[in-house]
Amino acid sequence: MSGVQNNPALFDFHPTAAKARSTTTFVDNMRLPVHGWFRYSAGFSAQWAADLIRESDASRVLDPFAGSGTTVVAAEECGVRGIGVDVHPFVSRIGRAKLAWRADVDGYVTRANAVLARVELERPVTLPKAPLIAKCFPDEHSLTDLLRVRDAIEELRVGDDIDELLWLTFVSIIRACSPAGTAQWQYVLPNKTKSRVAEPYSAFSARAAIFAADMRAMQSAAHSSPEGVYIEGDARTLDGVPDGWADLIVTSPPYANNFDYADATRLEQSFLGEIDGWGDLRPLRKKLMKSATQHMGGWDPSESLDSDLVEPIRDELTAVFGRLNAMRKEKAGNKAYDLMIAGYFLDSAQIWHALRRASGDGVKVCYVVGDSAPYGIHVPVERWLGDLAVSAGFKSWSFEKVRDRNTKWKNRKHTHPLHEGRLWIEG
Ligand SMILES: C[S@@+](CC[C@H](N)C(=O)[O-])C[C@H]1O[C@@H](n2cnc3c(N)ncnc32)[C@H](O)[C@@H]1O
């Protein structure tokens, strides 16, 4: 493995098989039971997470940025206790719904069939208000059919886990039923079209068959494993995670690269009537870890630059902030990368303190992260994160590069190579 060690600190926790696999691709998860129930582009490899859990002999695994729940489901597969935390309500609901794989399979199949029977009633539907939906679903018949499935699931709710499984079955077919393209991330591109578009009733029926088969497979493989826990909450506080709980932390935070997680499930949330337009994303943006310029409205950078929490990196952070601030004045677009970087590292410092509280002595941490270069100004993300972790009470860190990566920064005049890898921390 061509890992790089940027830190001379001694560190010997590198489970060999786990590190040889790709961490960052979610695509393989689509073939795995339960993991494949929703394609979350921000996710990492479930197989890698499971290998890491097994090889580290952990018994309590925490993921403070749980996303679609990859780590928590992997912990269940390994027979160990898992807690996942994510602040995004819709993504949290997806993660929690996956944990319902223990529900009665025959009951699920019966209820999925009841949904399909109910759509035959051809009831009138109410179109979602969001203009995005009309753009992404130009075929009225297909849109109506999809809305009938949505409504049937709501009408047949009884208040149990199977409701959530049916909800996720539906959520997971929305994109497949739209001819709109998507970017590498989960942005929607209404003006690009894809060649294969699914028909709603057969898509729902096919997904339900996959869910049922996966539930059966998981129930026979992991029937006695402890149930994972998914908390909708903030990594900066980790409320609900007991003191000293974790002996392994496996996670991937938002990168400081301007991806707006509030936007990740915009199509699905628009379809379900939870949001009508951009303005409705604002409350969630306020809650997310600061990692995109859209998260920064009205924020005062002195909160970070004057905080004791950033002490180990204060001089460098202030210098980078100053350069970004100067660039911002020069460039068109007035992008608040200066604020984003200041906010990102204050949030990160808070997260390390929360993780320190929630983990025991000797905890191992694997933090999958990439560096960043807004306006071409390089930010040594892993070194700063490592130093902040040590300042929060962890013992040492090292960085193992996994791959180089291209980002939009790279296309803009600067040539600083960017990479992605694993920040290994020992506590
Ligand atoms: C890289 S993704 C993690 C994906 C996950 N590993 C998976 O396989 O699905 C980062 C996650 O951090 C979440 N997040 C952002 N700010 C957060 C915060 N303050 N507390 C907890 N989670 C947060 C985002 O909603 C996003 O789901």
Side-chain angles (χ1 to χ4, degrees):
M1 182 77 204
S2 60
V4 288
Q5 303 285 312
N6 282 356
N7 190 306
L10 279 180
F11 191 80
D12 62 4
F13 175 62
H14 278 178
T16 44
K19 77 174 182 164
R21 291 208 175 81
S22 168
T23 325
T24 46
T25 38
F26 189 83
V27 141
D28 292 344
N29 295 2
M30 296 311 289
R31 292 196 297 270
L32 299 176
V34 182
H35 292 286
W37 286 359
F38 184 80
R39 184 169 181 161
Y40 192 41
S41 315
F44 54 43
S45 157
Q47 187 60 55
W48 171 81
D51 287 345
L52 178 53
I53 293 167
R54 283 197 188 97
E55 289 162 26
S56 61
D57 247 349
S59 57
R60 290 179 307 278
V61 184
L62 173 64
D63 185 344
F65 300 100
S68 60
T70 308
T71 305
V72 188
V73 175
E76 291 187 313
E77 287 171 307
C78 297
V80 305
R81 293 165 71 200
I83 299 182
V85 176
D86 201 291
V87 83
H88 193 312
F90 195 85
V91 173
S92 297
R93 190 170 173 192
I94 291 170
R96 268 199 314 270
K98 282 181 172 175
L99 299 184
W101 57 262
R102 292 170 204 261
D104 172 42
V105 188
D106 292 335
Y108 167 78
V109 171
T110 306
R111 302 256 294 274
N113 283 327
V115 169
L116 289 169
R118 196 169 186 94
V119 296
E120 299 297 334
L121 300 176
E122 303 199 336
R123 296 246 174 93
V125 293
T126 310
L127 297 180
K129 282 199 211 126
L132 181 68
I133 297 307
K135 280 193 204 149
C136 290
F137 295 90
D139 180 320
E140 215 177 287
H141 287 298
S142 172
L143 176 57
T144 304
D145 288 353
L146 207 46
L147 289 166
R148 287 201 174 111
V149 180
R150 176 199 67 178
D151 293 349
I153 290 170
E154 286 310 308
E155 287 155 14
L156 293 171
R157 273 188 170 276
V158 298
D160 64 3
D161 275 359
I162 293 178
D163 288 341
E164 291 306 285
L165 287 165
L166 292 170
W167 172 85
L168 183 55
T169 313
F170 175 68
V171 163
S172 75
I173 64 167
I174 295 175
R175 264 167 217 256
C177 293
S178 163
T182 48
Q184 186 195 5
W185 284 82
Q186 243 150 340
Y187 293 122
V188 186
L189 304 172
N191 301 329
K192 286 208 169 165
T193 51
K194 56 179 180 271
S195 52
R196 280 180 34 204
V197 181
E199 186 279 308
Y201 297 162
S202 42
F204 183 80
S205 164
R207 285 304 279 171
I210 291 171
F211 271 47
D214 285 3
M215 287 162 72
R216 287 206 167 90
M218 279 290 272
Q219 289 177 12
S220 59
H223 61 98
S224 59
S225 66
E227 280 186 40
V229 172
Y230 197 115
I231 299 171
E232 183 188 325
D234 194 329
R236 288 165 290 200
T237 55
L238 294 176
D239 291 341
V241 183
D243 290 357
W245 187 82
D247 59 6
L248 177 68
I249 295 168
V250 182
T251 198
S252 180
Y255 297 0
N257 67 356
N258 211 26
F259 179 72
D260 180 15
Y261 280 95
D263 198 23
T265 49
R266 188 157 61 101
L267 182 66
E268 289 79 6
Q269 289 184 268
S270 301
F271 200 95
L272 293 167
E274 293 183 11
I275 53 178
D276 297 337
W278 287 106
D280 296 335
L281 298 177
R282 217 169 284 137
L284 174 57
R285 286 183 172 140
K286 292 265 170 237
K287 288 193 199 172
L288 293 166
M289 175 183 184
K290 297 177 185 65
S291 60
T293 55
Q294 295 97 318
H295 302 160
M296 304 313 306
W299 185 72
D300 176 359
S302 65
E303 266 190 47
S304 169
L305 301 176
D306 295 346
S307 167
D308 289 346
L309 290 174
V310 303
E311 186 52 39
I313 63 165
R314 188 194 314 283
D315 292 349
E316 284 184 281
L317 178 62
T318 306
V320 166
F321 174 84
R323 290 178 67 199
L324 288 169
N325 185 263
M327 287 291 255
R328 182 178 168 185
K329 288 174 187 144
E330 259 172 44
K331 300 266 184 187
N334 187 27
K335 293 271 188 195
Y337 296 135
D338 49 352
L339 302 184
M340 179 186 92
I341 293 298
Y344 185 83
F345 286 97
L346 176 63
D347 284 357
S348 297
Q350 290 168 347
I351 288 157
W352 288 126
H353 281 275
L355 287 172
R356 187 60 284 188
R357 177 196 63 74
S359 59
D361 266 358
V363 65
K364 317 284 186 196
V365 184
C366 184
Y367 214 74
V368 179
V369 75
D371 60 358
S372 170
Y375 281 148
I377 295 170
H378 184 243
V379 182
V381 171
E382 68 265 8
R383 179 164 60 77
W384 288 1
L385 287 179
D387 289 349
L388 290 174
V390 170
S391 163
F394 290 95
K395 290 198 180 80
S396 59
W397 66 269
S398 65
F399 183 70
E400 175 200 6
K401 181 175 119 170
V402 175
R403 67 179 181 106
D404 293 313
R405 77 196 165 98
N406 265 324
T407 75
K408 52 188 172 173
W409 323 121
K410 208 170 171 184
N411 304 328
R412 290 192 198 155
K413 275 203 198 150
H414 85 99
T415 51
H416 201 292
L418 291 174
H419 57 245
E420 195 164 30
R422 296 158 199 157
L423 180 61
W424 298 93
I425 289 179
E426 201 162 2

